[in-house]
Amino acid sequence: MTATVIDGKAFAATVRGKVAEHVAQLKEVHGITPGLAVVLVGEDPASQVYVRSKGKQTVEVGMNSYEHKLSADTSEADLLALIDQLNNDPAVHGILVQLPLPKHLNEDLVINSISPAKDVDGFHISNVGLLGTGQKAMVPCTPLGCLMLLRDYHGSLSGMNAVVIGRSNIVGKPMAQLLLGDSCTVTIAHSRTKDLPEVVRRADIVVAAVGRPEMVVGDWIKEGATVIDVGINRIEKPEGGTRLVGDVHYESAAAVAGAITPVPGGVGPMTIACLLANTLTACCRANALPEPDGLTA
Ligand code: NDP
């Protein structure tokens, strides 16, 4: 079997298109422009790239982008004061604090100071609780993107065996909750899981969020399974230079799987698209307007 390639880049463009359409309508009919505030503390180069990209895509879908760049030695009190100001700003519907934060800042405290209704990353403890109890939440962007790709490919996920490899708060755990919400039978695997290949072989859906380059190989995959590769790892090429690979060994897995996401061009582009979708959703909820179809969990 040669797997169908799930084109996350194309699907992300479709999501951005839907967001842009809805934003245009919000402006025209209600005079409302959704706004996303991104807070960056320090000069981490990777974070700077992400923040630039988020700002650019926010403007491209017609939303307002507010960037707050703070120096690496910003005090916790000053950061919390900025978040408080953004929480109370009616032009701001979504707030994202770029992680990781410098060591002297308490990440949990900072994230939990964001108003849950504006927490477009879905990391606030209230949103974690709402998702865990099957209530309307702000859902973390990367797992939401994976869910959208799976729903688009399969339609219903009901009754499927899903194995999520990784139990982080930002990917593995919310991914498992979302799959459970769509009535999958869910297994969460991690570094202590016994006989991981055998666990993965039972899966109709495999979501790999491990952070280990090409760890999941074709021999672990059930014939026809759908493989979602969340991993982003930069490895050295034998001929020099580097390249991006996922947590799945693409060639061997694609020879067995029914469908697979590539790296790059799979889950990666969905993350920012879902951030824009979440900002739109937050704006609609803040204004008691109907939410757009197909852009939430
Ligand atoms: P974390 O490091 O927070 O979590 C990794 C998880 O993998 C842990 O639960 C860990 O288990 C588990 N794990 C590690 N080694 C093994 C192993 N040998 N066997 C089984 N499980 C193992 O990573 P994240 O969840 O933040 O990210 C995972 C990957 O996804 C990374 O490659 C990251 O770059 C990528 N990513 C991509 C995004 C995107 O936009 N596409 C967004 C976010 C992340 P344990 O808990 O027992 O230690």
Side-chain angles (χ1 to χ4, degrees):
M1 171 175 272
T2 303
T4 301
V5 179
I6 298 179
D7 187 345
K9 198 172 167 198
F11 196 78
T14 309
V15 170
R16 289 196 302 275
K18 274 193 202 169
V19 171
E21 231 172 82
H22 209 89
V23 168
Q25 225 179 341
L26 274 181
K27 284 186 190 174
E28 198 181 306
V29 180
H30 302 282
I32 299 167
T33 304
L36 172 64
V38 177
V39 180
L40 174 64
V41 187
E43 278 96 43
D44 177 61
S47 294
Q48 284 178 330
V49 173
Y50 287 135
V51 167
R52 245 197 320 275
S53 183
K54 283 167 186 171
K56 185 168 166 276
Q57 294 191 35
T58 302
V59 172
E60 278 169 5
V61 296
M63 296 183 184
N64 289 327
S65 166
Y66 308 101
E67 278 181 28
H68 295 269
K69 293 186 178 158
L70 308 180
S71 64
D73 60 357
T74 297
S75 71
E76 202 161 83
D78 283 351
L79 179 56
L80 294 177
L82 172 61
I83 292 172
D84 187 52
Q85 180 199 316
L86 297 171
N87 282 341
N88 290 300
D89 184 342
V92 172
H93 303 96
I95 303 170
L96 180 149
V97 176
Q98 185 66 44
L99 301 178
L101 287 171
K103 295 268 175 293
H104 68 284
L105 299 170
N106 179 337
E107 245 171 48
D108 287 340
L109 181 73
V110 170
I111 295 304
N112 288 323
S113 73
I114 298 172
S115 160
K118 297 189 179 188
D119 167 40
V120 281
D121 251 344
F123 296 160
H124 190 289
I125 191 74
S126 298
N127 282 313
V128 175
L130 289 168
L131 177 62
T133 49
Q135 300 180 69
K136 202 184 257 193
M138 294 306 303
V139 177
C141 302
T142 301
L144 178 58
C146 296
L147 183 75
M148 284 185 189
L149 292 175
L150 284 166
R151 282 179 177 170
D152 180 63
Y153 183 73
H154 284 287
S156 169
L157 308 181
S158 180
M160 296 178 88
N161 280 327
V163 172
V164 179
I165 318 173
R167 56 175 164 179
S168 73
N169 290 334
I170 63 167
V171 189
K173 282 183 200 151
M175 185 75 249
Q177 296 284 6
L178 288 170
L179 291 166
L180 198 57
D182 271 26
S183 299
C184 291
T185 303
V186 183
T187 303
I188 307 177
H190 45 77
S191 66
R192 308 294 170 91
T193 297
K194 289 194 178 132
D195 201 353
L196 183 60
E198 203 43 50
V199 172
V200 175
R201 273 182 208 115
R202 293 200 293 266
D204 304 310
I205 293 170
V206 181
V207 180
V210 194
R212 305 216 175 255
E214 301 181 318
M215 186 185 85
V216 179
V217 293
D219 179 50
W220 299 15
I221 307 292
K222 180 164 89 175
E223 175 104 27
T226 300
V227 179
I228 304 290
D229 189 353
V230 182
I232 303 178
N233 310 287
R234 190 165 284 285
I235 60 164
E236 307 276 334
K237 288 196 281 192
E239 68 272 25
T242 61
R243 67 186 179 107
L244 282 186
V245 296
D247 291 340
V248 177
H249 185 270
Y250 185 83
E251 286 75 20
S252 64
V256 194
I260 187 166
T261 58
V263 178
V267 173
M270 289 299 291
T271 298
I272 298 185
C274 287
L275 173 67
L276 304 175
N278 276 351
T279 305
L280 173 61
T281 299
C283 178
C284 291
R285 287 179 188 170
N287 289 284
L289 293 168
E291 291 168 29
D293 283 338
L295 295 179
T296 48

